[in-house]
Amino acid sequence: MSLTDERAGVLPAGVPETASGDAAGALAGERPQGTAGARPGLRAGTRPVASADERTVVSADGGPVVSADERPLAPAGPAPLTDERPLAPAGPAPLTDERPDAPAGPAPLTDQRPVTLSGRDAYRDELTRLAASDDTIVCLEADLGGKGHPFQAAHPERFLNLGIAEGAMVDMAAGLAAGGHKPFVSTFAPFAALRAAESLKLTLGYLAAGVTVVAPYAGVSGAWFGTTHHCLEDLAILRSVPGVTIAAPYGDTEMRAVVREAVRSGRPHYIRTGRNATYESLPALGDELPLVNWEFRAGPEDVCLVSVGEEGTRLALAARRAVPGTAHAHLVYLDHEHLTEAAAELARHHARFVVVEEHRGQGGVAEALALLLPSCRVTSVSADRSWPSQGGDHEEVMAALGLDLPAVLEALDRASTTSTASAGRPTN
Amino acid sequence: MTTAVLEEPRVGDGDLAGLVATLTERAVRARRLVVDMAASPRGCHLGGSLSVLDILIAALHRASAGDGTEVVLSKGHAAAGLYAALHVSGVLPENPAPLYGLAGHPYTGHPGPKVPGVRFPTGSLGHGVPYAAGWALSQRLRGRHGLGVAVAGDGELQEGLVWETCQVAAAQQLGNFVLVVDRNGGQNDGMVADISPLPRLAERFAAFGFDVTEADGHDLRALTDLLAEDRSAARKPLAVVADTVKGKGVRAVEGKPGCHYVTIDQARAAKWKRAIR
């Protein structure tokens, strides 16, 4: 079920206008939001990150720069709004999906780590760091790695831009893995999960090759680039391929932990991330990410938000600011095996769940949890079945699909008013 | 397909004629095994299995050198030919023919990694070419001289993935990547020339930046020579366009498009096997 913004501007009953951290509001980024007369948390939630300072990244020379996402939406002069690199960039950095040019020389590897990076930049940075002590790691791109990839700077002999050839890239990764390498391949989610779908089935699934696919531009993070650059179907595809570890990390810290685990385990991974948005990481939980990251557990009768992925988690955090005291469980790993265990843990504490995910409802995590938890009530806040055909930023395109804070709040409201008698009881 | 069990005669150790005789004897045995598989309840892709056999036997001989050469049958529907070639080359100890297509055994109609000597699943056409290219890349990164050898059908070249990989292999200067085309002229629904022809094929590979050789795909001496080449210093991938005959070795079906997939009875199999020389 996808909920629409019918209740925009209407507060759920009993919601204070100013949210405050509740007993378990320990997540970084949790902060009071509301402004009188406005929906608490709504505006704050309309940016991918909670505050401007969180979006500041630090350049290699230590000076603050802004990420590409933060550049003015209408910079002086024409800005190419395509995914092609400008042939001759001049003046202000263009609003493309490419990274800013990297500084000359190797990227800083560890201690100079920026405060927080976007998912794909955190991946690149972490893999570059890991490859310094593991010469079997190779990094493959299909012309969407951007200029100045840190892996290329640090390990040029093991960085291969294979060109616009996603299927060949995934299959060649299978060959590399058979030869003893640990290939990490990356291209936008629509091209990885859909164009190269058969290669993923064979390489990650049937062969169980130690190949990791990192897929930025998942969901509609491609926003105004249009439907060809959106991917609301990848979880449905990858979840149906046995043996693939699927992760949708939120924030720099989780991404790095997932990448480390992919290297360590040697298992096939599909890692879903967005474009350039940065998110304040959840509190560090050590290298081993929990199956269920409980931000807050409420009483067994209470509805529990289940957040998936970057934007699902952002919306859940915003909803918690709007409705303090809401239970919230965050999931990183989304494949059938992990979800089966996570579902059991969820059901030990709650019986009603609202799953927030930037994916189609069909084949998404809510559907999976509903099957895994037949005695519980699982509601989905997910993309509807339309095709975004207009521009807009990431949030605007999500909203057009019914994925926004009002939708989450309405789903919470509906789930809260559902009779517990019809919702099953927590099992323990 | 890098493990050799049999004592492999080596070119340069003396008797080239002896080597060719050994490989020829293997080819005869393998063709009879393929006919046995056609006589199984499942039948098999007979024509393409027989056309590709000499290529596979020569390539497996190269792989037996233990230098890290990997052979990938990309035209996976010729699985019967592959199983037979692996068996007569000593890589696959058990005789696959009586087990072909049976429950509890890995000898499916398209090969997968459960078969000893098979690393990659093929059958969905095109994928074996990048598998072999990735293998070649891995060898190069490790400073080894093994080849990644893909054996593709000519009909298979209608798949875009093949050309995508050729583009990548040339750009990456994968001199140790070898693509052998089993040009038997047929495909599932008829003749390649009638369905989606491939004119000037050698020129196409050359235009992509490959070294190109055309060969008789049933000349074991020529194939062995070609695949024995040290390509450690090569900067261009190698394409070998090998002309073959669909159904080669079984006179009743040679060159006939209808032999793409064949199921026969035991009596006919016995007759065909006796005629194979």
Side-chain angles (χ1 to χ4, degrees), chain B residues 4-10 19 22-23 26 61 64 88-90:
Chain B
V5 175
L6 298 182
E7 285 296 319
E8 284 290 317
R10 303 246 66 89
L19 167 64
T22 298
L23 300 185
R26 289 180 188 175
H61 169 68
S64 71
V88 301
S89 300

Side-chain angles (χ1 to χ4, degrees), chain A residues 285-301:
Chain A
L285 296 162
D287 227 31
E288 191 164 342
L289 296 171
L291 271 173
V292 179
N293 186 353
W294 289 100
E295 185 198 3
F296 181 64
R297 283 197 296 263
E301 302 294 330

Side-chain angles (χ1 to χ4, degrees), chain A residues 260-395:
Chain A
R260 285 195 296 273
E261 174 60 14
V263 170
R264 189 198 64 74
S265 71
R267 289 180 49 77
H269 275 65
Y270 176 83
I271 303 174
R272 176 183 219 251
T273 188
R275 187 172 167 258
N276 294 337
T278 59
Y279 303 85
E280 185 168 348
S281 293
L282 307 179
L285 296 162
D287 227 31
E288 191 164 342
L289 296 171
L291 271 173
V292 179
N293 186 353
W294 289 100
E295 185 198 3
F296 181 64
R297 283 197 296 263
E301 302 294 330
D302 293 313
V303 177
C304 177
L305 277 170
V306 178
S307 66
V308 170
E310 293 174 345
E311 286 297 292
T313 307
R314 177 184 67 78
L315 285 171
L317 292 171
R320 266 184 49 76
R321 287 193 292 271
V323 189
T326 304
H328 174 206
H330 168 69
L331 306 181
V332 177
Y333 288 108
L334 309 176
D335 50 86
H336 178 71
E337 288 74 15
H338 280 96
L339 269 193
T340 300
E341 294 185 42
E345 181 173 338
L346 289 171
R348 279 194 284 274
H349 302 283
H350 292 280
R352 288 179 292 182
F353 302 97
V354 172
V355 182
V356 190
E357 55 184 324
E358 189 184 1
H359 189 272
R360 300 282 186 202
Q362 294 69 36
V365 171
E367 258 192 13
L369 287 177
L371 279 175
L372 288 165
L373 300 171
S375 64
C376 295
R377 183 179 181 87
V378 181
T379 304
S380 171
V381 181
S382 52
D384 65 21
R385 292 180 64 76
S386 65
W387 298 104
S389 56
Q390 297 184 347
D393 64 18
H394 189 178
E395 280 193 40

Side-chain angles (χ1 to χ4, degrees), chain B residues 230-267:
Chain B
D230 175 9
R231 297 195 59 81
S232 55
R235 291 292 173 265
K236 291 182 174 183
L238 171 65
V240 178
V241 180
D243 285 311
T244 62
V245 176
K246 198 153 184 167
K248 174 70 176 180
V250 175
R251 291 285 170 80
V253 298
E254 274 187 1
K256 295 181 179 173
C259 72
H260 186 78
Y261 197 95
V262 169
T263 307
I264 56 175
D265 59 24
Q266 293 294 338

Side-chain angles (χ1 to χ4, degrees), chain B residues 3-270:
Chain B
T3 306
V5 175
L6 298 182
E7 285 296 319
E8 284 290 317
R10 303 246 66 89
V11 181
D13 292 344
D15 185 7
L16 175 60
L19 167 64
V20 174
T22 298
L23 300 185
T24 302
E25 182 271 334
R26 289 180 188 175
V28 169
R29 286 170 50 214
R31 284 197 161 82
R32 289 174 177 157
L33 290 173
V34 170
V35 172
D36 281 337
M37 287 182 253
S40 74
R42 317 287 190 219
C44 77
H45 283 92
L46 180 68
S49 290
L50 293 172
S51 70
V52 80
L53 257 179
D54 298 304
I55 295 167
L56 288 176
I57 284 170
L60 289 171
H61 169 68
R62 164 63 203 253
S64 71
D67 67 345
T69 290
E70 181 72 17
V71 180
V72 183
L73 176 70
S74 192
K75 47 172 285 185
H77 55 280
L82 176 64
Y83 302 151
L86 286 169
H87 181 58
V88 301
S89 300
V91 179
L92 175 59
E94 70 181 352
N95 179 1
L99 310 173
Y100 175 79
L102 298 184
H105 300 280
Y107 307 110
T108 47
H110 298 85
K114 296 288 187 190
V115 176
V118 175
R119 285 188 189 271
F120 303 102
T122 56
S124 175
L125 293 173
H127 290 284
V129 178
Y131 291 151
W135 177 270
L137 178 57
S138 180
Q139 290 290 303
R140 191 182 72 183
L141 288 172
R142 288 174 170 276
R144 301 189 66 189
H145 302 307
L147 305 177
V149 180
V151 180
D154 52 346
E156 182 177 10
L157 302 185
Q158 292 158 2
E159 284 283 3
L161 184 54
V162 172
W163 300 103
E164 189 173 308
T165 305
C166 287
Q167 176 72 27
V168 172
Q172 296 295 327
Q173 301 183 343
L174 279 180
N176 61 335
F177 170 60
V178 178
L179 172 56
V180 184
V181 179
D182 169 20
R183 185 160 65 178
N184 66 25
Q187 58 185 103
N188 192 69
D189 285 357
M191 301 303 290
V192 172
D194 296 332
I195 293 168
S196 182
L198 299 158
R200 300 197 296 177
L201 184 55
E203 291 174 55
R204 293 191 192 195
F205 285 115
F208 268 82
F210 278 53
D211 292 330
V212 187
T213 301
E214 294 187 86
D216 176 347
H218 300 301
D219 183 339
L220 281 164
R221 180 184 296 255
L223 293 170
T224 303
D225 278 351
L226 273 171
L227 292 168
E229 186 182 341
D230 175 9
R231 297 195 59 81
S232 55
R235 291 292 173 265
K236 291 182 174 183
L238 171 65
V240 178
V241 180
D243 285 311
T244 62
V245 176
K246 198 153 184 167
K248 174 70 176 180
V250 175
R251 291 285 170 80
V253 298
E254 274 187 1
K256 295 181 179 173
C259 72
H260 186 78
Y261 197 95
V262 169
T263 307
I264 56 175
D265 59 24
Q266 293 294 338
R268 189 180 299 266

